[in-house]
Amino acid sequence: MNTLKSAESDAVAGTEKVLSFFREQLLSGALKEGDRLLGERELSLALGVSRPVLREALRSLANYGFLDIRHGKGAFVRKADIAVLGDFLTFCLAQQPDMVDDIMQARIAIECQAIRLACSRATDGDLSRIGGLLSTLMETLDDAEDGGAADFAFHLALVEASRSPALITIYHSIATLLKRSHVQRRIETSDTTGIRDYLVEAHREVYLSVLARDPDEAETKLRQHFAIGDELRRKSYIAAFARKGLPEEK
């Protein structure tokens, strides 16, 4: 039994060594997209791990989309697939308590910085695209699914207009959860008085502030949008509870 545990421990340590090596090589720029890794024999000797452990670690990297293993040719660095990261984060975050509220806080942090950058970096094409998505949002006010999707697309376009690869990548990685949140909020607030006017005006003001390329105003309008949205959702909860009424006493 002890021998088995020792072998498992060595395998885990060996795998971590391979993953750490790969990560450091990418961070240092020694490895780039399209580069071929050293041969299996050379790499196992250089890292001091067995070839079976090395193969398993490389297979894991390939499964995550970081490597392209070509039979008879070797392992090549590939551009990471953000969808894989998104799936991984979704699985992790879905198990956390208060996940929706936590995702909302992450969204606020990302979007508020992104919109400031967008005010100086957005191209005419970016601004035109955001304007088109605002029109789509207005056309789908009465449909929770399509409206939620349009709402998400509008905010995604704002983030993409930041031209920040880091912010865009992080935002895309939680896109599945964000889309669900947008649709759910539309469903929850559909009967709230004034929701249609609010959705139009709030998004219009955010867009106009970006057009004016005023980062302080843009962030302020965006934060107001989030705050008022939360208040409307709270009121919708209260109204729904009131409609159900208090339980009868037995």
Side-chain angles (χ1 to χ4, degrees):
M1 183 65 71
N2 288 336
T3 301
L4 179 59
K5 287 184 177 180
S6 177
E8 291 176 347
S9 178
D10 289 345
V12 170
T15 298
E16 290 177 350
K17 186 181 292 187
V18 176
L19 298 181
S20 177
F21 166 79
F22 185 72
R23 181 173 59 249
E24 292 303 319
Q25 290 287 293
L26 288 175
L27 289 172
S28 69
L31 280 177
K32 298 182 177 64
E33 181 184 352
D35 286 350
R36 179 181 179 279
L37 269 60
L38 290 173
E40 188 178 284
R41 181 173 179 280
E42 295 171 280
L43 198 52
S44 65
L45 288 173
L47 296 178
V49 300
S50 68
R51 293 174 74 168
V53 167
L54 175 65
R55 288 191 203 106
E56 189 60 33
L58 295 182
R59 192 175 297 115
S60 295
L61 288 169
N63 289 336
Y64 283 124
F66 300 134
L67 287 180
D68 179 15
I69 299 178
R70 305 172 191 171
H71 183 66
K73 294 183 178 180
F76 296 80
V77 179
R78 63 179 296 186
K79 184 176 182 179
D81 183 356
I82 193 62
V84 176
L85 175 60
D87 288 342
F88 179 77
L89 284 177
T90 299
F91 285 132
C92 291
L93 294 173
Q95 301 176 49
Q96 304 301 317
D98 301 320
M99 179 268 293
V100 174
D101 288 337
D102 195 36
I103 285 295
M104 188 62 188
Q105 293 306 312
R107 176 191 168 195
I108 292 172
I110 294 168
E111 287 194 34
C112 284
Q113 178 58 22
I115 202 169
R116 296 187 69 87
L117 294 174
C119 286
S120 59
R121 297 181 179 180
T123 65
D124 289 344
D126 291 328
L127 297 176
S128 177
R129 179 165 173 257
I130 296 169
L133 290 169
L134 176 60
S135 296
T136 302
L137 187 151
M138 293 178 179
E139 294 166 0
T140 55
L141 292 172
D142 296 320
D143 189 302
E145 288 289 338
D146 290 344
D151 205 330
F152 168 75
F154 176 87
H155 286 270
L156 174 61
L158 286 175
V159 174
E160 292 179 335
S162 73
R163 299 287 164 172
S164 167
L167 291 178
I168 294 169
T169 298
I170 295 170
Y171 201 81
H172 272 284
S173 71
I174 56 175
T176 299
L177 298 172
L178 291 178
K179 287 178 185 177
R180 289 175 62 88
S181 173
H182 276 285
V183 173
Q184 187 61 35
R185 283 169 179 266
R186 287 297 185 96
I187 294 172
E188 292 169 349
T189 60
S190 61
D191 295 330
T192 303
T193 302
I195 187 63
R196 288 170 54 90
D197 292 339
Y198 156 72
L199 286 170
V200 171
E201 188 61 18
H203 289 90
R204 188 181 70 84
E205 288 186 353
V206 168
Y207 177 52
L208 290 176
S209 65
V210 177
L211 278 179
R213 297 190 180 278
D214 186 335
D216 292 335
E217 180 70 5
E219 182 179 352
T220 296
K221 291 299 183 183
L222 187 60
R223 287 189 181 276
Q224 288 175 351
H225 169 38
F226 288 137
I228 295 172
D230 283 342
E231 179 63 16
L232 287 173
R233 187 171 61 145
R234 185 184 68 81
K235 288 181 178 179
S236 74
Y237 289 157
I238 294 174
F241 181 77
R243 286 195 297 271
K244 290 180 180 179
L246 296 174
E248 295 182 2
E249 293 185 5
K250 293 183 179 181

